[in-house]
Amino acid sequence: MSRREAVFPAERHALYEKHGYSAAIRSGDLLFVSGQVGSRADGSPEPDFEAQVRQAFANLSAVLKAGGCSIDDIVDVTTFHTDPENQFPTIMSVKQEIFPTKPHPNWTAVGVNWLAGFDFEIKVIARIPGDN
């Protein structure tokens, strides 16, 4: 059985400490990344929605890198949205930049009414590259 190993980006984010969770857990050849939001280094939300989405992807990339992965290693995506109907055009535009080629990862989008002051959150599962 694989042991769980916590993974954090090089510049640890204030949110992890404040809310008591790991940025990601490595288990075998999989990396389970906690929901990433568009937070600045101090944990505060990026105020502009598109900038918040882009920052969430940047934060996600930093966690993936710390776990030995990249965006290309993502197999499953779950996103959370506070106002899906109005936010989707922006989200889809950014998402198409991040995942420009097929095959795209699985994706589940969920509308929610609260994200601790944020408007977008993304969590993923990635396969860690290696000899497997």
Side-chain angles (χ1 to χ4, degrees), residues 1 11 43 49 78 82 88 94 117 128:
M1 177 177 252
E11 294 182 17
F49 181 70
T78 304
T82 58
F88 253 68
V94 174
I128 300 167

Side-chain angles (χ1 to χ4, degrees), residues 2 9 17-18 25-27 36 49-50 61 66 78 85-88 98 101 108-110 112 115 121 124:
S2 298
E17 208 46 59
K18 180 179 179 184
I25 294 289
R26 181 180 305 147
S27 182
Q36 298 297 303
F49 181 70
E50 182 175 343
S61 292
T78 304
E85 186 174 355
N86 292 311
Q87 295 168 342
F88 253 68
I98 303 296
T101 58
T108 302
V110 180
V112 299
L115 288 173
E121 183 172 331
V124 305

Side-chain angles (χ1 to χ4, degrees), residues 28-77:
D29 66 346
L30 295 176
L31 187 68
F32 298 86
V33 181
S34 292
Q36 298 297 303
V37 292
S39 58
R40 300 169 175 164
D42 67 358
S44 66
E46 185 63 53
D48 175 75
F49 181 70
E50 182 175 343
Q52 190 179 125
V53 172
R54 291 184 183 283
Q55 186 61 51
F57 275 103
N59 293 343
L60 172 62
S61 292
V63 175
L64 289 167
K65 182 178 178 182
C69 297
S70 74
I71 292 287
D72 293 334
D73 299 308
I74 294 172
V75 294
D76 188 69
V77 176

